[in-house]
Amino acid sequence: MGFSFELMVFGSTIAALIAMVFLLYYFTMDYRRNLLGESASSLSKEESNLLLSKMRREISFSAFFMDDSKSIGVRYLITSIVLFFIGGLAGVGMRISLWFPNPSFLTPDQYNILLTAHGNIMLYGFAIGTILGFGYYLLPSANKIEKDTLGVVKSIMYWLFLIGAVFIIFSKSTATWYFYYPLVDQLTEAGGGTYSFATLIGVTLILLATTVSSVIFLKMVFLDRSKSIPLSKISMFSWSIVSAAVLVITSAPVSMIANGFLIYDLINPVFFQASNGAVLGYAIMFWFWGHPLVYIAILPAFGLIYEMLPKYAGVPIFSYRAGVFSLLLLMIFSAVVWGHHLFNSGLGTVWDLLFSTTSFLVVIPSAMSVFNWIATLWTAKHIRLTVPMLFVLNGIVDFIIGGIVGVYSADVGLNAFIHGTYAITSHFHWIFIGLTAGIGFGAIYILFPTLTGGRTYNVPLAKVHFYLNSVGTILMSGFWLVGGFAGMPRRVAGYFGIFQTYQDVAAIGGVILGIGFLIFLVNFAYSAYLPAKVDVTNPLEDEVQAI
Amino acid sequence: MNKATPIVLLVVVLIVAGGSFAWFLSVPGGGISYQQGSYNSTQVIVLYANAQGWNYNSSNPNPTLNEKLHTLLEFKVIEQDGLPHTLTIAAGPNETTNSNDWIVNVVIPTTVGSITWVNWSFANPGLYTYWCTVHPYTMVGKLYVNGTANSTSSSPSPSAVQAPSSGLLTSIIQHQNSGTYEMADSNEQVW
């Protein structure tokens, strides 16, 4: 095989990014002076970082040249929005191609590349990126931190995250987001999957960045928190980040080790040989991280719902303690259910039953949170249906539907039938679009005055975005669900003609979703272009009335 | 916030997302851009996917299939050895197994005895190469499509294409009734 254009692009991209890291240091002081004035040069870097982290900060490209917590958060938010549109376009492309039973737009190779890119970019890029972004952005104000250290480490971890995302995009892997062994180490000359190992490197870099950032989050919450906030009063968002961070720290290293083994296997296959059955060993090592990952993707969304819901319901959350208990219980349970991804892989009946039971147990903490939200709404005198609140309500409904689909997917017998069908795709798209993406964009709306320096979003456009998002999810995931129970197989570039109705409606839903997010983008650019109208305070960071 | 920032962000998102999408789609072989030709008859060709039965070398090539233009070729590929195989046909006439430009590339299931149907109707005459991408040195053969294309086509004229010597074609018999090509003795030389 020839080392060709792709590797050249890799090399030059990495060289450019490394050069940027070096440039970073030289730009640092100038941008600080812009924000802090002359005092920037007299303060030490840690003191000025702390001042910057306490300011209301807006989206700007100068954030890429500063290393205080809020700048890092802004960097992650910008990056994850860009990655969201890359992954989203891949998803819409797949939907359009599946309009007819026979592939009319994409070859199977191209379909597999889009499938892998969509999964990897959305999970590792967008979901983790928004969590790190909101974590870095909101934790300093939520906990009124007393020092903001390790700026260089945070900055380097961001660049590793970005390089990882670039690797994933350039690899054109076809190994899907769990890259099982024989597939990921194949080096075929032509078609997709030529550089699947580059995805491994990219994902490992992202996992490294996530793990180190999680340690920094725990440090920020438990060590740097202001003494005025006792542990029993820290915000629900901080608790959700804590539970997600603990999950990352306990499970991501396992996946990093497995990825290291895979990269070694590329050169000298010893670890995951098919002959000794160790391929299943890789699957186990992957899902030991892979299942916690999906909880890492939704736990911060839970925390944001707990923060946003009371602002528009006008009452405090119904039970703070039940909420914290539910988040911590979710953290514990989600670490012991990974086997339900391998029901059909031959773990054995006893293990299957164990993982089936633990998967059913996850209902308890999830329902605790859902009933907590419902009780909060129940006790409210006046609920204001603003755009962020609409996203929150839609997220709760989507979570209930997707969660229930997930619960009966945990039945071992039923799982054998629906595991390879669109029912599973439907299950996690209800939750990911409703919670991870929906609450993420809802939080961007609630933070809009702060993020754009005093602008307000265009409410009619934002409502159009919301309704398209909601209707698109229902059409796409709903018809996937029905088709999945009729046996419609997932991850294929074509399908049997009897499923065309489901696929066509899902394609319409996917296109509607895409249009909705484009409207968000237009709304963002249009509203932020207009002159500033309001104060830069926002209800997630300040004691102000939510708008 | 600088006024230019949201505009720059919008442009960056559009360029990066569109560029990535184009990058994802830019695999060898491209999109589905090859059109099948019209046909007025069909022809079934039975191929046995068995790596042992195909032994290509310069003195003993695998048999060349002679087909007419305007015929829908229905390849019936029967898996025999449980190994991964593909049926791949290069897009242009006179291309070899080094080509990355394919009109047909179907992965054959490894279940022994499974039958995979692959249909294709050539739009242009010429001498095509068909092979298995897993075993490109042994499981390779030629497919001669004979006939006259439409006048608007820019394909090489039929006279420019040398009809291959049909050395082993005698081992292929044509069934009188079904119009099926099949090896005379599949135990002796399966392919």
Side-chain angles (χ1 to χ4, degrees):
Chain A
M1 52 171 275
F3 277 70
S4 56
F5 175 67
E6 282 98 324
L7 282 191
M8 262 171 54
V9 174
F10 282 4
S12 41
T13 312
I14 292 163
L17 289 175
I18 289 173
M20 283 176 75
V21 174
F22 283 115
L23 277 173
L24 180 73
Y25 185 75
Y26 296 98
F27 281 103
T28 305
M29 287 313 288
D30 284 332
Y31 282 105
R32 263 160 223 272
R33 276 207 199 91
N34 279 346
L35 289 165
L36 296 175
E38 280 308 308
S39 62
S41 41
S42 62
L43 292 170
S44 77
K45 197 142 164 264
E46 288 184 5
E47 287 167 332
S48 59
N49 265 354
L50 184 59
L51 277 181
L52 287 170
S53 287
K54 286 180 174 170
M55 290 166 69
R56 305 283 162 258
R57 298 286 300 285
E58 59 198 37
I59 285 185
S60 84
F61 292 110
S62 63
F64 287 85
F65 302 107
M66 287 185 292
D67 56 7
D68 58 288
S69 285
K70 287 227 164 167
S71 293
I72 306 279
V74 169
R75 286 188 205 179
Y76 276 113
L77 284 180
I78 294 177
T79 314
S80 59
I81 288 175
V82 174
L83 291 173
F84 180 82
F85 280 91
I86 297 175
L89 196 54
V92 173
M94 283 192 287
R95 283 301 110 221
I96 293 172
S97 177
L98 287 171
W99 183 268
F100 294 113
N102 284 327
S104 55
F105 168 47
L106 300 172
T107 59
D109 264 350
Q110 290 173 324
Y111 181 88
N112 289 347
I113 290 171
L114 288 187
L115 176 78
T116 309
H118 177 74
N120 274 332
I121 293 170
M122 284 299 190
L123 278 169
Y124 292 109
F126 171 69
I128 289 190
T130 32
I131 290 154
L132 298 181
F134 282 122
Y136 276 125
Y137 195 84
L138 292 176
L139 281 188
S141 22
N143 294 304
K144 297 188 173 62
I145 56 168
E146 287 176 344
K147 57 185 176 205
D148 189 13
T149 52
L150 297 178
V152 178
V153 178
K154 290 173 202 161
S155 183
I156 290 173
M157 286 308 144
Y158 166 75
W159 293 115
L160 288 186
F161 176 89
L162 185 62
I163 293 172
V166 170
F167 262 88
I168 288 176
I169 291 168
F170 272 106
S171 70
K172 289 206 285 193
S173 167
T174 53
T176 75
W177 78 280
Y178 44 70
F179 25 85
Y180 283 164
Y181 163 61
L183 199 54
V184 75
D185 277 357
Q186 275 176 2
L187 292 173
T188 52
E189 174 90 31
T194 314
Y195 302 113
S196 282
F197 65 92
T199 305
L200 281 180
I201 298 171
V203 166
T204 311
L205 290 177
I206 289 182
L207 291 184
L208 180 64
T210 316
T211 313
V212 174
S213 300
S214 299
V215 176
I216 292 173
F217 285 160
L218 291 184
K219 171 179 172 294
M220 222 186 279
V221 173
F222 290 116
L223 300 181
D224 300 344
R225 194 179 72 241
S226 164
K227 297 286 177 292
S228 61
I229 307 175
L231 194 59
S232 57
K233 289 220 169 60
I234 67 175
S235 64
M236 286 302 294
F237 180 70
S238 304
W239 277 117
S240 70
I241 287 286
V242 164
S243 45
V246 171
L247 274 177
V248 171
I249 293 165
T250 50
S251 55
V254 178
S255 182
M256 283 196 272
I257 291 168
N259 290 353
F261 285 174
L262 276 182
I263 293 167
Y264 185 80
D265 270 359
L266 189 74
I267 306 155
N268 179 19
V270 291
F271 290 111
F272 298 122
Q273 289 278 7
S275 55
N276 57 18
V279 174
L280 185 58
Y282 174 74
I284 289 171
M285 284 177 94
F286 175 78
W287 286 113
F288 190 82
W289 149 257
H291 191 80
L293 167 60
V294 300
Y295 276 82
I296 291 157
I298 61 163
L299 277 174
F302 272 40
L304 283 172
I305 291 181
Y306 274 118
E307 292 294 322
M308 287 153 73
L309 195 57
K311 307 281 193 267
Y312 297 106
V315 289
I317 199 76
F318 183 75
S319 169
Y320 173 84
R321 288 187 182 195
V324 176
F325 186 68
S326 128
L327 287 178
L328 297 182
L329 211 57
L330 268 177
M331 173 188 89
I332 293 165
F333 279 155
S334 68
V336 291
V337 299
W338 47 268
H340 67 213
H341 296 265
L342 298 168
F343 277 162
N344 306 312
S345 306
L347 290 180
T349 311
V350 177
W351 288 105
D352 284 357
L353 287 176
L354 172 72
F355 287 122
S356 183
T357 312
T358 49
S359 305
F360 286 131
L361 285 179
V362 175
V363 176
I364 297 169
S366 309
M368 277 171 73
S369 273
V370 170
F371 284 118
N372 210 344
W373 299 328
I374 293 175
T376 309
L377 291 170
W378 200 278
T379 51
K381 293 278 186 295
H382 176 57
I383 298 170
R384 289 181 302 134
L385 290 179
T386 57
V387 175
M389 186 62 172
L390 288 173
F391 272 105
V392 166
L393 297 179
N394 181 55
I396 295 173
V397 172
D398 281 3
F399 177 68
I400 293 171
I401 300 173
I404 288 173
V405 179
V407 170
Y408 54 64
S409 303
D411 181 89
V412 181
L414 188 60
N415 190 280
F417 175 62
I418 63 172
H419 188 86
T421 71
Y422 266 97
I424 302 296
T425 320
S426 164
H427 154 62
F428 61 78
H429 275 84
W430 278 116
I431 295 179
F432 280 154
I433 302 177
L435 274 184
T436 313
I439 302 299
F441 282 98
I444 288 178
Y445 279 123
I446 202 173
L447 289 170
F448 204 87
T450 315
L451 287 177
T452 56
R455 275 79 167 184
T456 50
Y457 55 87
N458 185 312
V459 176
L461 276 180
K463 288 206 169 168
V464 170
H465 168 210
F466 165 75
Y467 285 114
L468 290 183
N469 186 38
S470 179
V471 170
T473 316
I474 290 168
L475 283 183
M476 190 173 79
S477 302
F479 276 77
W480 278 348
L481 185 58
V482 183
F485 272 87
M488 183 164 69
R490 58 174 167 151
R491 295 204 189 97
V492 280
Y495 53 93
F496 298 115
I498 52 168
F499 299 126
Q500 192 172 3
T501 313
Y502 309 121
Q503 288 283 11
D504 283 0
V505 179
I508 294 170
V511 172
I512 288 175
L513 273 174
I515 294 170
F517 286 114
L518 270 185
I519 287 176
F520 161 80
L521 203 60
V522 170
N523 187 4
F524 181 85
Y526 168 71
S527 305
Y529 184 77
L530 296 177
K533 288 179 217 160
V534 293
D535 201 21
V536 293
T537 53
N538 70 74
L540 283 189
E541 294 184 290
D542 313 276
E543 298 293 326
V544 294
Q545 171 77 11
I547 51 169
Chain B
M1 190 185 210
N2 193 333
K3 266 191 171 186
T5 306
I7 309 299
V8 172
L9 198 60
L10 176 71
V11 173
V12 164
V13 167
L14 292 180
I15 289 176
V16 172
S20 302
F21 193 65
W23 169 254
F24 292 146
L25 297 191
S26 64
V27 289
I32 297 179
S33 56
Y34 297 104
Q35 296 296 320
Q36 299 201 27
S38 62
Y39 58 89
N40 44 31
S41 63
T42 60
Q43 178 77 45
V44 178
I45 299 167
V46 182
L47 299 174
Y48 289 93
N50 186 339
Q52 299 291 320
W54 295 71
N55 287 304
Y56 176 82
N57 55 54
S58 53
S59 64
N60 181 28
N62 290 316
T64 299
L65 302 172
N66 267 316
E67 298 298 340
K68 287 194 175 66
L69 203 62
H70 305 306
T71 304
L72 181 70
L73 305 181
E74 300 184 343
F75 295 93
K76 181 184 184 185
V77 189
I78 304 171
E79 176 79 14
Q80 275 202 332
D81 57 359
L83 294 174
H85 297 292
T86 71
L87 174 62
T88 306
I89 302 178
N94 306 319
E95 290 202 30
T96 63
T97 55
N98 292 326
S99 166
N100 285 331
D101 210 2
W102 305 323
I103 43 180
V104 170
N105 180 32
V106 177
V107 179
I108 312 300
T110 54
T111 310
V112 175
S114 68
I115 295 170
T116 307
W117 287 93
V118 183
N119 296 353
W120 188 263
S121 166
F122 285 91
N124 297 315
L127 185 62
Y128 292 87
T129 304
Y130 69 95
W131 75 98
C132 162
T133 54
V134 187
H135 308 91
Y137 300 111
T138 56
M139 301 181 79
V140 54
K142 294 289 183 184
L143 176 65
Y144 181 61
V145 180
N146 195 5
T148 311
N150 299 329
S151 56
T152 56
S153 168
S154 63
S155 67
S157 63
S159 62
V161 180
Q162 279 292 322
S165 66
S166 54
L168 285 175
L169 274 180
T170 49
S171 64
I172 302 177
I173 57 166
Q174 185 167 18
H175 288 252
Q176 297 292 328
N177 301 331
S178 61
T180 301
Y181 275 136
E182 196 163 1
M183 292 303 294
D185 186 356
S186 62
N187 292 325
E188 195 177 331
Q189 188 185 16
V190 274
W191 42 287

